[in-house]
């Protein structure tokens, strides 16, 4: 369907059953790009099926208007499972003595890029634990090599907290984007998810550095992390409305059996989908992945994420022998050839009317 024929108006039969209070708030979020924390709390408290369907259909229409039926793919290269941090939710936390650790060499990382490029990937996401072996110089060198070999590709880093000078050096070497989820915008909640020495203040300082330096910057959080309340989620959304990041990563919390949160329940897929829709309405041009965790939590979760307003899928380009060692949560998929997974995603998105495109998939414009 030509883009100009896609109506912005909500589908009438869905709008019919929607709670008028929720509809008003969703419409206001969409018009203003923000809501007060109390209004987010109201929206998130107990959304009805109709509320969620209304937000989903409006968000899908906004994504269509911004991106058409195009979905961007990112090639994820998990290059080190060593981590000095001890986040209570994460399977590769320092205290998990059962976690096997590995590092890819720069040549191995470049080989992952080569395979990804051949398969149509034009963004490489280099992700790792916070591994001191990869100093500023080492990371800078890797970025330079990828930049030289693939001038038409975007380079995204997801390597945690570093100094302002280090971030600047990565940017100058040719890195385009940086993902650093804020995890929760409430400092007391942040303290309950992390250990001493990890503060929300320092996380937020990194995010503002990254944005100021000029990275397309990504924040985000888990839905259903332990101790999380509706108030915390409302604060997360207010924070996103203020930061106005280029990318937002949101997935359900999933327990990892060798962490202190191993017996906690997983986050709700339906609530995650609702929040993805609200984020799309709040930040119309945001790059929003339907995360791996969403696909793990529910069969078809990734496709549901795209239908709820997401427009990005990240697939794993890491060497298959190392993938079982990068388990942030239980049941993370580790098997499968990259070309098969890529093709499977292409086909499953085609079934719901979306095209996976060969494109860097940059943010369309700076947000404000
Ligand atoms: N469940 C879901 N997401 C997780 N992450 C880490 N551990 C888990 C988990 N148990 C997310 C964090 C981190 C990102 C790389 O993965 O939000 O920022």
């Amino acid at each position: 369907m030509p883009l100009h024929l896609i109506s912005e108006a909500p589908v009438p039969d869905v709008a019919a059953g929607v709670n008028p209070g929720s509809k008003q708030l969703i419409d206001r979020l969409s018009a203003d790009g923000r809501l007060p924390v109390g209004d987010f709390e109201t929206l998130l408290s107990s959304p009805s099926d109709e509320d969620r369907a209304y937000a989903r259909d409006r968000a899908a229409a906004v994504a269509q208007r911004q991106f058409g039926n195009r979905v961007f793919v990112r090639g994820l290269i998990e290059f080190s499972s060593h981590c000095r941090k001890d986040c209570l939710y994460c399977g590769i936390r320092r205290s998990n003595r059962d976690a096997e650790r590995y590092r890819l060499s720069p040549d191995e990382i470049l080989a992952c890029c080569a395979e990804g490029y051949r398969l149509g990937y034009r963004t490489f996401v280099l992700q790792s634990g916070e591994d001191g072996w990869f100093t500023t110089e080492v990371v800078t060198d890797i970025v330079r090599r990828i930049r030289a070999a693939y001038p038409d590709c975007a380079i995204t880093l997801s390597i945690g907290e570093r100094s302002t000078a280090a971030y600047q050096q990565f940017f100058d070497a040719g890195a385009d984007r940086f993902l650093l989820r804020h995890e929760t915008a409430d400092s007391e909640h942040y303290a309950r998810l992390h250990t001493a020495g990890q503060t929300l203040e320092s996380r937020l300082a990194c995010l503002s550095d990254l944005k100021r330096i000029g990275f397309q910057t990504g924040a985000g959080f888990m839905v259903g992390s332990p101790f999380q309340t509706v108030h915390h989620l409302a604060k997360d959304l207010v924070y996103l409305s203020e930061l106005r990041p280029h990318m937002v990563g949101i997935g359900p919390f999933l327990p990892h059996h060798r962490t202190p949160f191993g017996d906690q329940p997983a986050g709700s897929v339906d609530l995650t989908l609702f929040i993805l829709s609200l984020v799309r309405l709040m930040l119309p041009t945001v790059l929003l992945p339907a995360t791996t965790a969403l696909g793990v939590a529910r069969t078809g979760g990734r496709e549901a994420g795209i239908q709820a307003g997401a427009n990005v899928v990240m697939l794993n380009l890491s060497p298959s022998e190392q993938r079982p060692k990068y388990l942030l949560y239980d049941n993370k998929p580790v098997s499968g050839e990259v070309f098969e997974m890529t093709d499977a995603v292409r086909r499953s998105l085609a079934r719901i009317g979306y095209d996976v495109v060969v494109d860097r998939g940059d943010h369309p414009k700076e947000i404000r």
Side-chain angles (χ1 to χ4, degrees):
M1 176 164 41
L3 281 184
H4 66 274
L5 293 180
I6 294 167
S7 164
E8 282 178 51
V11 180
D13 57 344
V14 171
V18 73
N19 162 354
S22 301
K23 178 179 181 303
Q24 202 189 20
L25 292 176
I26 291 166
D27 292 348
R28 191 136 55 81
L29 175 65
S30 190
D32 300 350
R34 52 173 49 84
L35 281 179
V37 72
D39 285 344
F40 274 128
E41 286 175 14
T42 305
L43 256 186
L44 293 168
S45 285
S46 46
S48 67
D49 290 351
E50 289 79 10
D51 294 351
R52 291 186 288 103
Y54 179 69
R56 181 195 64 212
D57 292 347
R58 280 207 67 156
V62 169
Q64 273 284 344
R65 192 169 70 237
Q66 295 294 338
F67 302 99
N69 59 353
R70 291 151 48 91
V71 172
F72 301 129
V73 278
R74 317 302 196 196
L76 180 65
I77 303 168
E78 299 157 335
F79 67 90
S80 169
S81 67
H82 290 263
C83 194
R84 67 169 141 246
K85 293 274 171 80
D86 217 14
C87 311
L88 271 65
Y89 44 83
C90 184
I92 63 166
R93 64 198 300 265
R94 185 187 57 216
S95 299
N96 181 6
R97 307 267 167 242
D98 283 356
E100 283 185 69
R101 309 290 172 170
Y102 71 93
R103 289 186 180 105
L104 300 187
S105 68
D107 284 346
E108 289 171 314
I109 296 172
L110 265 291
C112 294
C113 296
E115 183 178 17
Y117 192 87
R118 207 168 44 77
L119 294 170
Y121 291 83
R122 295 295 179 268
T123 290
F124 304 121
V125 181
L126 272 58
Q127 189 178 86
S128 69
E130 293 201 10
D131 180 0
W133 190 90
F134 286 92
T135 59
T136 307
E137 269 56 49
V138 173
V139 173
T140 302
D141 242 49
I142 294 167
V143 170
R144 272 204 203 102
R145 285 181 62 183
I146 300 175
R147 175 50 57 240
Y150 302 99
D152 55 336
C153 291
I155 303 172
T156 304
L157 296 176
S158 176
I159 60 174
E161 297 185 21
R162 300 261 174 153
S163 68
T164 311
Y167 286 152
Q168 184 70 57
Q169 205 172 308
F170 303 150
F171 186 76
D172 294 342
D176 305 276
R177 309 189 190 129
F178 203 106
L179 302 174
L180 183 68
R181 290 189 181 177
H182 65 280
E183 313 296 358
T184 170
D186 180 277
S187 52
E188 279 162 32
H189 187 218
Y190 196 95
R192 299 186 79 172
L193 298 180
H194 301 99
T195 50
Q198 291 181 259
T199 65
L200 178 60
E201 198 189 357
S202 103
R203 181 60 59 112
L204 299 188
C206 288
L207 280 161
S208 76
D209 274 355
L210 290 163
K211 219 175 162 220
R212 189 176 33 74
I213 288 168
F215 283 102
Q216 293 176 47
T217 301
F221 56 92
M222 294 174 283
V223 173
S225 60
F227 314 113
Q228 185 181 64
T229 64
V230 162
H231 176 63
H232 297 144
L233 287 171
K235 285 178 82 172
D236 287 323
L237 292 174
V238 168
Y239 171 66
L240 292 179
S241 74
E242 287 165 354
L243 179 69
R244 309 198 81 71
H246 305 84
M247 304 173 283
V248 172
I250 294 174
F253 162 76
L254 298 171
H256 184 291
H257 65 289
R258 296 296 297 165
T259 65
F261 296 156
D263 52 9
Q264 297 285 317
S268 155
V269 171
D270 284 333
L271 184 58
T272 305
L273 293 170
F274 184 48
I275 291 174
L276 287 174
S277 299
L278 299 182
V279 170
R280 169 61 64 208
L281 293 173
M282 180 165 82
L283 303 169
T285 54
V286 77
L287 298 166
L288 188 64
T291 56
T292 310
L294 194 57
V296 171
R298 176 186 291 173
T299 307
R302 209 150 40 186
E303 293 73 14
I306 297 295
Q307 290 171 315
N311 70 324
V312 172
V313 172
M314 294 166 78
L315 293 177
N316 204 329
L317 299 180
S318 311
S320 44
E321 64 276 18
Q322 307 298 1
R323 278 185 233 155
K325 304 178 197 164
Y326 199 89
L327 298 181
L328 308 186
Y329 44 79
D330 291 337
N331 305 316
K332 187 166 171 266
V334 293
S335 59
E337 294 291 334
V338 182
F339 77 89
E340 280 165 356
M341 293 186 304
T342 310
D343 208 49
V345 164
R346 187 169 287 135
R347 279 184 282 112
S348 77
L349 291 178
R351 275 197 290 278
I352 58 166
Y354 288 87
D355 288 337
V356 170
V357 294
V358 177
D359 195 297
R360 278 172 52 116
D362 283 299
H363 188 272
K365 58 182 186 294
E366 290 291 324
I367 305 180
R368 257 162 264 200

